[in-house]
Amino acid sequence: MRIANVSGRLALLRADGTAVDVERASGGLFGADPQVVYERWEEFRAWAAGAELPEGEPFAAEALGSPVPAPRQVLAVGLNYRAHAAESGFAVPEGLPPVFTKFVTAITGPVTEVTLPEGGNTDWEVELVAVIGTRGHRVAEADAWSHVAGLAVGQDLSERVAQLAGPAPQFSLGKSHPGFAPIGPWLVTPDEFDNPDDLELGCSVNGEEVQKGRTGDLILSLPVLIARLSAVVPLLPGDVIFTGTPAGVGLGRTPQRFLAPGDELVSHIEGIGELRQTFTA
Ligand code: ZN
């Protein structure tokens, strides 16, 4: 199953790519707010599996919002691919990798224009994003997938000057400018993948591929992350986990390269879809 946020309303996507408005199709059983559906995720899944859906409506990619527009918690994980830890000049962490947040106001839909912060170095980080469907505290690794509503493509856009300045890094602020957390283009449930633990992901700048990896190379897989994170923080329905980025970020290049006005960044994950960001001064 694929769900989307079409012009701010929860929609189910049909196989032909059209969208069915959930509030109307369910006769009001489920509301239009895309964030609220995660509170009743199992009930919604059961309804969607048995519902006789009407014809869908076509929609433009620009009409899509984030399939998870207002999570209560966003947990983002750093240094979770070996080659990326190396290019960043950090040792592979033992135990838990660095965890930070992307503040909720940074979240957008999949196709956007992003204003580059003045005096900054804005970098790309394509990431698998997982959305929590059922609350979990001290989740066992073996049970972790059952707590996941679905997967989406995320960009952990990062302003490196602020991120790395100061006596302690400012990961959360440096990664939370408006538009720095595009998520989408929709949410795909785990059962849609042959192997949801091993998906190709990557991104390109102006058509040049800069990152390409596989989630099978995550140091801590999504189930391990859910177990370790939920050992501390109860995960709530609709929460978001950014799982880390593979190698190829601008910071790790020689010479370094950052996003400039006019650049177009396209990010993709196998079996999900793509994000498209353009940048302005
Ligand atoms: Zn990241």
Side-chain angles (χ1 to χ4, degrees):
M1 175 175 72
R2 293 174 175 227
I3 62 168
N5 172 349
V6 181
S7 302
R9 295 180 62 88
L10 177 65
L12 265 168
L13 299 186
R14 297 181 54 122
D16 64 6
T18 60
V20 172
D21 187 88
V22 167
E23 184 179 45
R24 287 194 279 270
S26 70
L29 177 61
F30 297 97
D33 186 334
Q35 187 67 43
V36 172
V37 71
Y38 301 105
E39 298 293 337
R40 294 162 65 197
W41 184 249
E42 290 304 324
E43 192 187 345
F44 174 73
R45 264 191 11 165
W47 170 79
E52 289 219 11
L53 296 179
E55 290 277 291
E57 301 281 340
F59 58 89
E62 290 76 12
L64 292 169
S66 170
V68 54
R72 283 171 288 190
Q73 304 187 104
V74 177
L75 295 101
V77 176
L79 308 179
N80 202 17
Y81 291 83
R82 283 175 205 287
H84 173 62
E87 73 177 353
S88 304
F90 291 103
V92 170
E94 302 203 15
L96 253 188
V99 177
F100 53 93
T101 196
K102 289 175 82 69
F103 293 105
V104 171
T105 51
I107 293 175
T108 69
V111 179
T112 57
E113 186 176 87
V114 180
T115 301
L116 294 164
E118 209 174 320
N121 290 332
T122 299
D123 202 350
W124 52 85
E125 293 192 0
V126 63
E127 305 199 7
L128 178 72
V129 159
V131 178
I132 298 298
T134 53
R135 187 184 192 280
H137 191 201
R138 300 177 186 136
V139 175
E141 187 185 325
D143 298 332
W145 272 113
S146 71
H147 290 266
V148 176
L151 304 175
V153 186
Q155 253 295 341
D156 177 17
L157 290 169
S158 302
E159 197 286 282
R160 303 298 191 194
V161 175
Q163 181 192 339
L164 301 171
Q170 286 282 15
F171 275 50
S172 299
L173 281 179
K175 290 164 172 273
S176 291
H177 288 275
F180 270 33
I183 297 172
W186 32 69
L187 189 88
V188 182
T189 52
D191 58 289
E192 295 269 325
F193 301 91
D194 291 337
N195 179 5
D197 284 305
D198 187 23
L199 304 174
E200 184 184 285
L201 76 172
C203 67
S204 63
V205 178
N206 304 331
E208 178 191 344
E209 182 179 86
V210 288
Q211 286 190 286
K212 186 178 181 181
R214 301 196 66 88
T215 61
D217 291 328
L218 282 164
I219 297 170
L220 302 184
S221 67
L222 180 60
V224 174
L225 281 178
I226 287 173
R228 301 248 184 118
L229 295 170
S230 74
V232 181
V233 175
L235 299 175
L236 306 176
D239 280 359
V240 163
I241 301 173
F242 277 77
T243 55
T245 199
V249 301
L251 180 75
R253 290 174 176 264
T254 311
Q256 292 183 336
R257 177 176 172 186
F258 300 107
L259 291 161
D263 280 350
E264 182 186 55
L265 174 66
V266 178
S267 313
H268 75 274
I269 299 181
E270 170 189 5
I272 303 176
E274 68 179 33
L275 311 177
R276 188 174 294 268
Q277 272 59 57
T278 55
F279 295 86
T280 60

